[in-house]
């Protein structure tokens, strides 16, 4: 009787789920009806198993274990040791050959870091619009890119405007620094995440991935968290039309280091 | 009737009836914990079934990936929505079920001779399942998973000597994200990895049937339990139904991986409180606790992500892989075992397992250290240092305590076997004390 009820629930649930799908009902209804169908199935099978009252102390003997065949000795005119070593060496040679396709798997070996920055290039926002030197108020922050390079992976740069007397390490005559602008790579030197958060009061950049903090007033030096070095700095200036431009590329390699990045 | 005729037809050509009869009449021992692996099996079945459907609905090519996943996250198209939800839920449940099943195997000593190989196969499947999960999680090219891929790329790059080669293989290119990254993830996710899991799963189950199941019944000569047909066939259908019911219920109640809230991937966006799928969280936690020091070998840098991102998981995997061969060296017990231990019968194993679980939970918690620090009103740096100390001191303490508990409980069992409770009778003496009454010779 119980089993029949459970099976009826299964039928009801399955047909209900079909109807829900056919009528475009909300997904909760479809999944809920399917849940009933599966619950009915599980309960019916479980109840049948219990109702069988099958014996649970049946015995099945376990096999004896151990090697089934003695290991054969080759009869090839050479000693067994030489024989074994030659086989080993032959397979080893195939292993070496196998390295060829393995190494060639890297279709374009190496790693290019595409920042796109060079001297005189304007800073733009994510819509490729150039940035005027009055764009940000003090304490303001914006993600900027080299003109026409919004999609370059290592291009993203944070532009921050701080009180001008707090700017350090700027070249003399730098009009951007005189206005309080500093710019750093947005790609974390730890694992390449975007350093997306800025703590205005503390003048700190903060990586949401692994919580590295960088001191904006001190050349974006890594002050806490797993980042091993400061964020690279982008030297900037203001051009004749009043737009922010780069003075060159970053002062250090962008993103996490690797074995072949020898400095 | 039709079954009988088909069976007869097959038997006539292939001689299958003897094998089928053997399988149907096979005896399996019973214990609730023996069903844990079955849950994992059925989560995999659900993954394959929903995954096949999803390959027809999902467009893996570059910028289409996010849009086509968005269509599958649209509640006004309930079929795709439910199938994607069930798929993602079964992925996270699959890894969880494997881990719990592995815990059972570990603490009862089911991995011991002659089953060391099956333990290693199971462990490999755990690694493959996590990797498959990560590749699947990364397919939609949303903001969260794109950032995860960027971290994975950094970890690949950090490998000494061959880092750039590994990253170039992954990306199919010399930049991130490479031209072929999405294609590689898709092929891995829908072909190589699931086929590898399927093949290992067949080996796993075949070996289980061939070697026969372990049991708690102290009878080393024979398996004691019930027949497969109809007893376990019904039970396994019940487990199948329960597994699917859990998945559809979760799909009905809780939306997992709401990519419509995350937005598409841009290299310059990320948000606070971003957390990966739970089974990769321990790596995220390890990356957060990892050192900031960059080692240099002959001028070549080794990026800090190398240690928590690669060395730690590989060491853990290697340790678990060789454990069936390490344990007999320590205990001196090299015999074959078909009869299981209870967890407290093997104090060494209990201690080692408890220590590993402690560190696993700690690293997973560390993946949310920023939220935890905010909630507890402590400085993040203080919490990180507390976690770092606990990472090394915690497992030692927890392991020693667990091993001690195991030893005492084992001693109690041994005592009760040496001095059965009915053999000692206390008798009050004239001084008011108690004397043990000598057992009367029969």
């Amino acid at each position: 009787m119980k089993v029949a009820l459970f099976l009826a629930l299964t039928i009801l649930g399955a047909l209900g789920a079909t109807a829900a799908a056919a009528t475009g009902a909300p997904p909760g209804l479809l999944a809920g009806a399917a849940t009933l169908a599966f619950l009915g199935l599980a309960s019916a099978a479980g109840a049948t198993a219990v109702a069988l009252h099958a014996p649970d102390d049946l015995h099945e003997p376990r096999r004896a274990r151990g090697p089934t065949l003695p290991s054969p000795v080759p009869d090839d005119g050479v000693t067994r040791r030489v024989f074994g070593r030659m086989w080993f060496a032959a397979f080893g040679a195939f292993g070496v050959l196998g390295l060829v396709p393995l190494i060639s798997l890297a279709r374009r070996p190496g790693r290019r870091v595409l920042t796109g920055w060079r001297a005189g290039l304007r800073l733009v926002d994510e819509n490729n619009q150039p940035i005027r030197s009055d764009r940000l108020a003090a304490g303001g922050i914006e993600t900027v890119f080299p003109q026409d390079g919004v999609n370059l992976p290592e291009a993203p740069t944070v532009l921050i405007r701080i009180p001008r007397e707090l700017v350090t390490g700027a070249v003399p005559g730098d009009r951007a620094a005189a206005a309080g602008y500093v710019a750093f790579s947005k790609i974390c030197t730890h694992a390449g995440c975007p350093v997306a958060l800025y703590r205005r009061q503390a003048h700190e950049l903060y990586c949401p991935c692994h919580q590295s903090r960088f001191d904006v007033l001190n050349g974006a030096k890594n002050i806490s968290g797993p980042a091993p070095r400061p964020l690279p700095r982008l030297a900037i200036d203001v051009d004749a039309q009043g737009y922010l431009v780069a003075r060159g590329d970053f002062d250090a390699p962008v993103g996490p280091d690797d074995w072949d990045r020898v400095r | 009737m039709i079954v009988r005729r088909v069976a007869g037809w097959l038997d006539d050509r292939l001689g299958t009836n003897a094998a089928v009869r053997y399988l149907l009449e096979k005896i399996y021992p019973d214990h609730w914990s023996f069903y844990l692996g079955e849950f994992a099996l059925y989560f995999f079945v659900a993954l394959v079934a929903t995954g096949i459907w999803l390959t027809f609905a999902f467009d893996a090519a570059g910028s289409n990936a996010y849009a086509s996943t968005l269509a599958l996250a649209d509640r006004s198209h309930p079929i795709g929505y439910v199938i994607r939800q069930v798929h993602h839920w079964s992925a996270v449940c699959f890894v969880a079920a494997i881990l719990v099943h592995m815990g059972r195997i570990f603490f009862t000593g089911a991995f011991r001779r002659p089953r060391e190989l099956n333990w290693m196969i199971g462990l490999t499947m755990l690694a493959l399942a996590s990797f498959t999960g990560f590749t699947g999680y990364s397919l939609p090219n949303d903001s969260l998973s794109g950032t995860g891929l960027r971290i994975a790329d950094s970890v690949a790059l950090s490998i000494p000597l061959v880092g750039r080669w590994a990253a170039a293989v992954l990306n199919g290119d010399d930049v991130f994200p490479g031209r072929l990254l999405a294609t590689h993830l898709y092929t891995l996710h829908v072909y190589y990895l699931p086929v590898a899991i399927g093949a290992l799963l067949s080996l796993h189950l075949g070996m289980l049937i061939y070697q026969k199941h372990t049991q708690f019944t102290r009878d080393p000569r024979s398996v004691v339990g019930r027949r497969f047909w109809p007893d376990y066939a019904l039970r396994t259908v019940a487990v199948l139904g329960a597994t699917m019911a859990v998945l559809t219920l979760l799909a009905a109640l809780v939306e997992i991986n709401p990519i419509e809230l995350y937005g598409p991937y841009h290299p310059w966006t990320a948000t606070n409180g971003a957390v990966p799928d739970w089974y990769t969280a321990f790596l995220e936690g390890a990356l957060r606790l990892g050192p900031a020091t960059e080692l240099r070998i002959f001028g070549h840098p080794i990026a800090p992500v190398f240690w928590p991102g690669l060395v730690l998981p590989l060491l853990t995997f290697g340790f678990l892989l060789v454990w069936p061969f390490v344990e007999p060296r320590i205990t001196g017990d090299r015999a074959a075992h078909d009869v299981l231990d209870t967890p407290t019968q093997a104090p060494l194993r209990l201690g080692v397992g408890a220590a590993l679980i402690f560190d696993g939970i700690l690293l997973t918690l560390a993946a949310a250290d920023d939220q935890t620090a905010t909630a507890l009103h402590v400085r993040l740096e203080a919490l990180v240092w507390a976690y770092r100390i606990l990472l090394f001191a915690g497992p030692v303490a927890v392991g020693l305590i667990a091993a001690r508990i195991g030893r005492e409980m084992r001693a109690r069992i041994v005592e009760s076997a040496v001095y059965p409770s009915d053999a000692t009778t206390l008798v009050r003496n004239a001084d008011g004390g108690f004397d043990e009454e000598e057992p009367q010779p029969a």
Side-chain angles (χ1 to χ4, degrees), chain A residues 20-32 34-36 38-39 41-50 52-63 65-66 68 101-114 126 143 145 150-154 156-157 186-197 199 206-211 213 222-229 254-263, chain B residues 22 25-27 75-76 78-79 81-82 114-115 147 150-151 153-154 157-165 167-169 171-177 179-180 209-215 219-227 230-231 234-235 237-242 244-245 248-249 251-252 266-274 284 287-288 290-294 296-305 336-338 369-370 379-381:
Chain A
T23 56
L29 219 57
L30 170 56
T35 306
L36 286 185
F38 286 127
L39 267 185
L41 179 71
S43 311
T48 313
V50 171
L52 281 176
H53 294 298
D56 61 357
D57 55 352
L58 302 175
H59 281 60
E60 179 178 305
R62 291 188 190 273
R63 264 179 242 104
R65 269 181 282 267
T68 49
L102 194 68
I103 292 167
S104 78
L105 268 184
R107 296 162 58 95
R108 288 171 180 227
R111 170 62 61 122
R112 278 180 301 154
V113 174
L114 305 174
E126 60 181 84
T143 305
F145 310 84
V150 175
N151 287 315
L152 293 174
E154 275 84 18
T157 303
K186 198 178 180 177
I187 308 300
C188 189
T189 51
H190 173 234
C193 286
V195 185
L197 305 173
R199 291 173 164 170
Y206 179 84
C207 181
C209 283
H210 307 110
Q211 287 73 47
R213 291 192 288 132
N222 49 318
I223 47 176
S224 155
R229 55 188 180 85
V254 173
D257 289 333
D258 64 72
W259 180 264
D260 294 309
R261 188 183 265 181
V262 184
R263 274 180 290 133
Chain B
Y22 170 78
E25 291 187 343
K26 201 170 162 53
I27 308 287
R75 283 163 183 271
S76 58
I79 301 173
Y81 176 89
V82 169
R115 296 181 179 79
T147 308
R150 176 85 210 213
I151 298 170
D153 174 74
S154 302
L157 266 179
S158 74
I159 307 170
L161 290 169
V162 295
R164 286 194 177 181
W165 172 83
V169 172
N171 283 295
D173 210 339
D174 53 5
V175 292
F176 176 88
R179 275 175 310 128
L180 294 178
I209 290 169
Y210 182 73
Q211 292 186 317
K212 300 185 195 297
H213 210 283
T214 52
Q215 62 191 12
D219 178 353
R221 293 219 173 78
S222 50
V223 184
V224 184
R226 296 192 182 90
R227 272 195 213 97
D231 306 320
L234 283 165
R235 281 172 173 78
V237 169
V239 173
L240 170 70
M244 301 299 159
T248 46
L249 190 66
H266 297 298
W268 65 89
T269 52
T271 61
N272 227 353
E284 169 80 3
L287 284 171
R288 290 177 182 212
T293 326
E294 189 166 277
R296 273 173 190 279
I297 298 175
F298 302 117
H300 293 284
I302 296 183
V305 291
H337 291 278
D338 294 311
D369 60 356
D370 49 338
R379 280 181 60 239
L380 178 67
E381 284 76 8

Side-chain angles (χ1 to χ4, degrees), chain A residues 1 10 16 18 28 47 64 74 80 84 86 106 139 166 175 186 196 198 263:
Chain A
M1 189 58 208
T10 306
T18 313
R80 189 174 174 172
M86 281 312 289
L166 295 179
R175 279 165 290 179
K186 198 178 180 177
Y198 180 53
R263 274 180 290 133

Side-chain angles (χ1 to χ4, degrees), chain B residues 77-245:
Chain B
H77 294 97
I79 301 173
Y81 176 89
V82 169
I83 290 178
R84 170 171 170 263
Q85 288 291 308
V86 167
H87 190 72
H88 202 126
W89 272 117
S90 23
V92 297
C93 292
F94 182 42
V95 184
I98 295 178
L99 270 176
V100 177
H101 167 61
M102 252 182 70
R104 196 286 284 179
I105 301 290
F106 183 84
F107 287 113
T108 59
F111 57 80
R112 288 175 294 178
R113 190 179 153 215
R115 296 181 179 79
E116 304 97 325
L117 197 58
N118 227 5
W119 163 262
M120 295 162 88
I121 291 173
L123 189 67
T124 310
M125 281 197 284
L126 171 69
L128 291 176
S130 311
F131 193 40
T132 318
F134 179 75
T135 54
Y137 166 88
S138 301
L139 286 181
N141 199 28
D142 58 289
S143 175
L144 205 52
S145 69
T147 308
L149 278 178
R150 176 85 210 213
I151 298 170
D153 174 74
S154 302
V155 172
L157 266 179
S158 74
I159 307 170
L161 290 169
V162 295
R164 286 194 177 181
W165 172 83
V169 172
L170 188 72
N171 283 295
D173 210 339
D174 53 5
V175 292
F176 176 88
R179 275 175 310 128
L180 294 178
L181 181 61
T183 315
H184 288 168
L185 289 173
Y186 186 68
T187 324
L188 281 168
H189 184 73
V190 305
Y191 183 65
Y192 294 113
L193 294 171
V195 166
I197 293 176
L200 289 178
L201 189 60
S202 315
L203 262 181
H204 198 64
L205 296 179
M207 223 180 267
L208 169 124
I209 290 169
Y210 182 73
Q211 292 186 317
K212 300 185 195 297
H213 210 283
T214 52
Q215 62 191 12
F216 285 109
T217 315
R218 307 207 139 276
D219 178 353
R221 293 219 173 78
S222 50
V223 184
V224 184
R226 296 192 182 90
R227 272 195 213 97
F228 179 77
W229 183 265
D231 306 320
Y232 279 113
L234 283 165
R235 281 172 173 78
T236 202
V237 169
V239 173
L240 170 70
T243 312
M244 301 299 159

